[in-house]
């Protein structure tokens, strides 16, 4: 088995002052592995990070720890723009 495919990174979300004051709890730890990133790769980075409940910067950091140099999402190209290029 490949050790890189089994690698998992843990993200500890920061608590905002508003959440602490209101008594609202947040997720304690977000564990991310390469498979989870591949599931979310169809989304833009801000949407993927919101789905996990972490910041885009934290998601980028997790990607780097798991061996991804940049977020794989690409905007769909409009056909009319592609014809004129």
């Amino acid at each position: 088995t490949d050790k890189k495919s089994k690698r998992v990174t843990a993200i500890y979300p920061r608590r905002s002052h508003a959440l602490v004051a209101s008594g609202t709890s947040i997720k304690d730890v977000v564990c991310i592995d390469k498979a989870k990133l591949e599931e979310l790769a169809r989304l833009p980075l801000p949407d993927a990070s919101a789905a996990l409940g972490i910041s885009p910067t934290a998601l980028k950091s997790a990607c780097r720890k798991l061996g991804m140099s940049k977020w794989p999402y690409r905007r769909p190209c409009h056909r009319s723009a592609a014809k004129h290029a």
Side-chain angles (χ1 to χ4, degrees):
T1 61
D2 185 18
K3 286 186 179 184
K4 286 188 177 185
S5 65
K6 302 278 184 188
R7 200 178 339 173
V8 174
T9 187
I11 306 293
Y12 298 91
R14 292 183 181 171
R15 293 179 177 217
S16 71
H17 294 290
L19 286 176
V20 173
S22 68
T24 305
S25 65
I26 58 172
K27 294 179 186 176
D28 292 330
V29 179
V30 177
C31 293
I32 303 171
D33 60 357
K34 192 94 170 186
K36 182 61 121 175
L37 291 178
E38 288 171 0
E39 288 175 21
L40 295 170
R42 62 182 173 73
L43 298 172
L45 182 73
D47 294 346
S49 64
L52 292 170
I54 59 176
S55 70
T57 303
L59 182 54
K60 284 190 257 184
S61 176
C63 288
R64 287 188 212 106
K65 287 179 184 177
L66 293 171
M68 294 175 73
S69 59
K70 63 188 286 191
W71 190 246
Y73 175 78
R74 296 284 183 252
R75 267 185 285 199
C77 182
H78 293 353
R79 291 182 182 223
S80 61
K83 288 179 184 178
H84 296 299

